[in-house]
């Protein structure tokens, strides 16, 4: 079974790892589309053209299941992908809002790209799942995925001597985005697949919160589809 993945870079590797943990014997194809990072500030039309290109490439490689390993691309493009490619099995990665609301948390914070926060799908996930005794705040984090991706690419390219600066840049960006937030949230949703790559750094801002993401749900869905296909 050939399974394709794509993201605006290395964030989706967190999804790939979760799938590999529950599924053996599959062949994996991954597009790290860092050239178009960030996806989170693109218009819907611009993003769809980029995403379609990745899908076409994965289909050329023979992918039988395509995992959209990116929250932004999922909430903004997956419905149209399913309409345009009715024979392809897509699995999306949505912000883990359902998981957070089911956990019994009273105060929930969702960190995501501007595109994800603004999307109708995210608003619908909140409307469908939030309980009367719960509050939720959606916080757009412009620039965060890019700065995480920069560190990853620099490391991946073997550029030396810049790692500390890039690490510092992530700290500075997190400080700018999060230091105004109270640390009283019960659950913080990492609503972009890049954010689990700096989970420890985010946890420092919310020491007592549980940090959740959608990777396990995606992995289970992929596994179910491989069983259905046999
Ligand atoms: N990793 C992606 C996500 O899950 C996209 C980040 C970006 O490129 O803006 O939303």
């Amino acid at each position: 079974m050939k399974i394709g993945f794509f993201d605006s870079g290395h964030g989706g590797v967190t999804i790939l790892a979760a799938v590999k943990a529950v599924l053996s014997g599959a062949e994996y194809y991954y597009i790290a589309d860092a050239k178009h990072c960030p996806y989170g500030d693109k218009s819907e039309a611009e993003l769809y053209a980029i995403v379609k290109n990745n899908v076409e490439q994965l289909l050329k490689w023979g992918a039988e299941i395509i995992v959209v390993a990116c929250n932004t691309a999922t909430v903004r493009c997956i419905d149209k992908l399913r309409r345009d490619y009715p024979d392809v099995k897509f699995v999306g990665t949505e912000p883990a809002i359902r998981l957070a609301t089911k956990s019994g948390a009273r105060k929930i914070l969702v960190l995501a790209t501007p595109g994800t926060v603004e999307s109708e799908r995210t608003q619908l996930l909140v409307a469908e799942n939030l309980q009367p005794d719960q509050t939720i705040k959606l916080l757009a984090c412009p620039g965060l995925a890019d700065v995480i991706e920069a560190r990853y690419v620099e490391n991946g390219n073997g550029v030396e001597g810049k790692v500390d600066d890039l690490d510092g840049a992530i700290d500075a960006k997190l400080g700018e985005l999060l230091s105004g937030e109270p640390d009283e949230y019960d659950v913080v949703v990492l609503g972009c697949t890049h954010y689990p790559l700096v989970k420890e750094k985010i946890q420092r801002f919310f020491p007592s919160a549980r940090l959740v993401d959608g990777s396990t749900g995606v992995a289970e869905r992929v596994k179910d589809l491989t069983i259905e296909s046999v």
Side-chain angles (χ1 to χ4, degrees):
M1 169 76 62
K2 292 182 178 178
I3 306 177
F5 294 72
F6 71 88
D7 179 43
S8 63
H10 291 73
V13 170
T14 59
I15 303 295
L16 174 61
V19 172
K20 279 184 165 174
V22 298
L23 198 66
S24 55
E27 213 177 301
Y28 298 105
Y29 295 80
Y30 186 95
I31 297 177
D33 187 17
K35 196 170 86 179
H36 295 111
C37 184
Y39 282 1
D41 68 356
K42 305 272 186 293
S43 72
E44 209 145 301
E46 203 182 350
L47 184 58
Y48 191 73
I50 291 167
V51 160
K52 199 170 156 61
N53 222 23
N54 292 336
V55 167
E56 294 286 344
Q57 183 58 59
L58 290 169
L59 291 175
K60 260 185 221 149
W61 288 336
E64 291 149 89
I65 295 174
I66 293 183
V67 180
V68 182
C70 169
N71 292 263
T72 313
T74 301
V75 296
R76 306 202 79 182
C77 301
I78 204 163
D79 288 347
K80 188 160 164 52
L81 282 175
R82 288 189 169 126
R83 280 198 301 274
D84 289 353
Y85 300 89
D87 299 331
V88 177
K89 290 176 184 151
F90 289 102
V91 179
T93 308
E94 288 187 336
I97 290 170
R98 192 176 298 124
L99 183 69
T101 54
K102 286 214 169 109
S103 72
R106 294 179 78 89
K107 294 195 74 168
I108 300 165
L109 176 67
V110 181
L111 306 177
T113 67
T116 296
V117 167
E118 284 156 21
S119 80
E120 271 174 41
R121 177 66 194 151
T122 302
Q123 303 296 334
L124 193 68
L125 278 172
V126 172
E128 283 177 350
N129 292 289
L130 197 69
Q131 302 301 308
D133 61 342
Q134 294 177 319
T135 62
I136 194 162
K137 176 172 177 180
L138 304 178
L139 183 68
C141 300
L144 183 55
D146 336 10
V147 83
I148 295 169
E149 183 62 26
R151 180 181 73 167
Y152 211 97
V153 171
E154 294 282 307
N155 282 342
N157 289 343
V159 175
E160 286 176 15
K162 282 198 172 177
V163 175
D164 288 347
D165 291 341
L166 292 166
D167 210 43
I170 296 171
D171 287 335
K173 180 54 78 181
L174 283 171
E176 181 193 312
L177 294 165
L178 302 180
S179 57
E181 286 302 317
D183 66 359
E184 63 202 23
Y185 293 103
D186 303 310
V187 168
V188 176
V189 176
L190 304 180
C192 164
T193 54
H194 279 75
Y195 302 167
L197 296 170
V198 294
K199 191 172 180 177
E200 289 74 19
K201 287 178 182 292
I202 296 173
Q203 185 83 65
R204 274 188 235 143
F205 287 86
F206 309 103
S208 55
R210 189 175 148 218
L211 270 46
V212 300
D213 62 66
S215 58
T216 310
V218 174
E220 289 306 326
R221 180 70 193 128
V222 173
K223 192 177 171 189
D224 288 351
L225 277 182
T226 61
I227 294 165
E228 282 168 26
S229 315
V230 174

